[in-house]
Amino acid sequence: MNFRQRSPVWAALVLCALATPVLADDLTAEVMHPWTSGGESAAAKVFADKFTAAGGVWVDRAIAGNDALLAAAMNRIIGGDPPSASHFNTGKPFEELIEAGLLRDVDTVAKAEGWAAVIPKVFLDAVTRDDKIMAVPINLQTENWIWYSREVFEKSGVGEPPQNWDDFFAAADKIKAAGYIPMALGGGSWAERFVFQKVLVSVAGPELYLRVLKDRDGEALKDAKVQEAFAVLGKLRQYADSGAASRKWNDATNLVITNKAGFQIMGDWAKGEFAAAGLTPGKEYGCTLFPGQEVSIMSGDVFVMPKLKDARRTQAQDLLAHVLFAPETQIAFNIKKGSNPIRQDVDVSSMDVCARHAAEVLKDPARQVPNPQFLMTNDGLGAVRDVITTYWNTPAMTPGEFSDALGKVLASVD
């Protein structure tokens, strides 16, 4: 069915522009994104198929890895050859493009459809500048999940998922003794920082997490609970295998999928890999939020839309913005991606048990914890990541020494 026939809102937005016949080529959108793994590719295809069904032409530009994608997108936008849309994260590069006047807002679509009323405030603030929405948010991601193989649990004599860190270490010891990898890790220094921030909020709690990473409070680093978190992080080293350093994150997920590893600490996008493998949560694998804190460390993806000279391509951007944010697209995409819809007005009952649980947690603002990307610049995150990597790869380094090194770095970053 033609999109303009089935969407009165879209028809009202572009009635004048579509007063004369439009060729499909005129609604072409070149879209850059980093989704190349099995689950991610399936999720990207949802967007492509929905856009095509709406009368557009999707030109896919997939570049593996967030860092590589960001560099390529920045080069093209700044160099004067921008794509129609690119995956992005809010932060310093996002601010730079706005300040340079290279991004357009999507307010025409957003205001007509009431986006502001259904986007969580932390994300609305992240994409709004001068009262204009400058990017299309597409999902809510809960990062502090532990994924586990039910077969490995059973064969290792592990019962229920861990309720605290003592339970986790006891289960990991049983899994290791049974000949499996206790904790599948992959992604290099990015994954090490990822584990650090999840352990910090789990052991020390959201308030101390924010005092450390947002306020850069040196006294908070001395708190006994923060020191305990650093000790837990250090103890986790022994449960990763020797191949972790060179492994991709989705390859680590595959170790759980194929019942070679017991646990993986990873965000909800890992669920897309399980889905692509035909597995069902609660059956072949399980999910549990980090022990100690029923909170969600939130992140999410957005699409920015650079300013274009061609009016038809700009029209295609508006069509794309609508398609990305449409309720049916939100459900279909996030089922494949493993994340939750950014829209808080959609029915998630058709989603899996992990997504439904995350949706319940995300309803409470007090249980929403921002990812460090919301709290410091990319340069700052890089400096923090370096000191975490040093600690992770230096078993002789004590929690106190790590705390001192981290304190120096945090005092120097923006």
Side-chain angles (χ1 to χ4, degrees):
M1 181 181 294
N2 185 279
F3 187 82
R4 294 186 293 279
Q5 294 174 327
R6 64 190 171 113
S7 174
V9 173
W10 176 251
L13 287 171
V14 299
L15 182 61
C16 293
L18 298 178
T20 57
V22 178
L23 297 175
D25 287 349
D26 290 328
L27 291 176
T28 294
E30 182 190 8
V31 184
M32 299 180 69
H33 64 82
W35 299 321
T36 58
S37 72
E40 292 173 331
S41 294
K45 188 174 185 297
V46 170
F47 283 157
D49 290 347
K50 293 287 187 181
F51 186 62
T52 300
V57 176
W58 175 284
V59 178
D60 197 84
R61 295 286 185 262
I63 298 176
N66 285 329
D67 290 345
L69 182 278
L70 176 61
M74 290 288 284
N75 286 338
R76 286 195 55 183
I77 296 169
I78 293 171
D81 179 31
S84 303
S86 180
H87 171 280
F88 239 71
N89 295 113
T90 56
K92 189 174 181 180
F94 180 61
E95 300 289 348
E96 289 173 347
L97 293 179
I98 293 174
E99 291 170 3
L102 296 173
L103 298 183
R104 57 164 298 209
D105 66 76
V106 291
D107 254 24
T108 302
V109 179
K111 286 182 177 177
E113 298 180 357
W115 290 12
V118 298
I119 299 174
K121 188 177 185 302
V122 65
F123 278 94
L124 184 63
D125 291 346
V127 298
T128 301
R129 298 294 181 275
D130 297 328
D131 296 323
K132 293 183 180 295
I133 295 180
M134 301 298 299
V136 184
I138 57 170
N139 59 1
L140 282 171
Q141 293 177 316
T142 295
E143 297 189 348
N144 49 312
W145 286 107
I146 295 175
W147 309 98
Y148 59 91
S149 162
R150 292 176 67 87
E151 179 177 312
V152 172
F153 265 33
E154 181 179 348
K155 291 184 176 180
S156 302
V158 177
E160 296 301 311
Q163 300 301 305
N164 54 56
W165 282 103
D166 287 340
D167 288 350
F168 182 94
F169 291 128
D173 286 335
K174 289 181 178 180
I175 292 167
K176 190 173 184 177
Y180 300 99
I181 299 169
M183 184 178 72
L185 187 67
S189 60
W190 166 77
E192 292 153 7
R193 175 179 66 81
F194 194 85
V195 173
F196 157 81
Q197 62 206 40
K198 310 306 175 280
V199 171
L200 179 60
V201 78
S202 173
V203 178
E207 181 181 349
L208 282 166
Y209 169 93
L210 290 172
R211 284 178 61 191
V212 170
L213 295 178
K214 179 182 179 182
D215 302 332
R216 268 78 102 183
D217 182 349
E219 290 302 310
L221 285 168
K222 301 175 185 176
D223 188 279
K225 296 301 292 183
V226 173
Q227 291 294 308
E228 181 184 348
F230 295 165
V232 168
L233 180 66
K235 189 172 181 178
L236 280 172
R237 300 182 189 110
Q238 64 186 291
Y239 297 106
D241 68 305
S242 59
S246 59
R247 184 182 296 131
K248 296 178 180 178
W249 73 265
N250 52 304
D251 291 333
T253 307
N254 193 57
L255 290 174
V256 181
I257 289 172
T258 56
N259 303 310
K260 295 175 183 176
F263 295 107
Q264 184 188 22
I265 295 170
M266 188 50 59
D268 52 18
W269 50 88
K271 184 150 51 75
E273 301 303 301
F274 288 102
L279 306 188
T280 303
K283 187 178 179 182
E284 295 90 358
Y285 74 100
C287 61
T288 182
L289 289 173
F290 259 50
Q293 301 286 338
E294 274 281 290
V295 300
S296 169
I297 297 183
M298 296 191 311
S299 65
D301 300 297
V302 306
F303 274 95
V304 297
M305 300 203 171
K307 289 182 179 178
L308 303 174
K309 296 178 182 180
D310 186 275
R312 294 299 195 189
R313 288 184 66 203
T314 299
Q315 181 185 323
Q317 287 178 321
D318 285 342
L319 174 59
L320 180 62
H322 181 97
V323 169
L324 294 176
F325 205 76
E328 63 273 18
T329 307
Q330 284 280 299
I331 290 293
F333 169 80
N334 284 291
I335 285 175
K336 295 290 187 182
K337 187 69 166 60
S339 46
N340 280 66
I342 188 69
R343 300 184 64 128
Q344 297 298 281
D345 62 337
V346 297
D347 181 4
V348 298
S349 61
S350 63
M351 301 187 76
D352 63 76
V353 63
C354 307
R356 295 198 303 271
H357 183 62
E360 284 300 313
V361 172
L362 286 163
K363 286 180 180 178
D364 183 357
R367 299 164 78 184
Q368 298 173 1
V369 180
N371 177 285
Q373 288 176 318
F374 288 93
L375 306 177
M376 64 183 74
T377 66
N378 284 354
D379 289 343
L381 281 173
V384 168
R385 181 178 62 191
D386 289 344
V387 73
I388 292 168
T389 291
T390 298
Y391 179 52
W392 184 266
N393 292 286
T394 312
M397 192 174 185
T398 67
E401 290 169 338
F402 171 57
S403 181
D404 291 342
L406 182 60
K408 291 177 181 177
V409 169
L410 288 172
S412 67
V413 303
D414 296 330

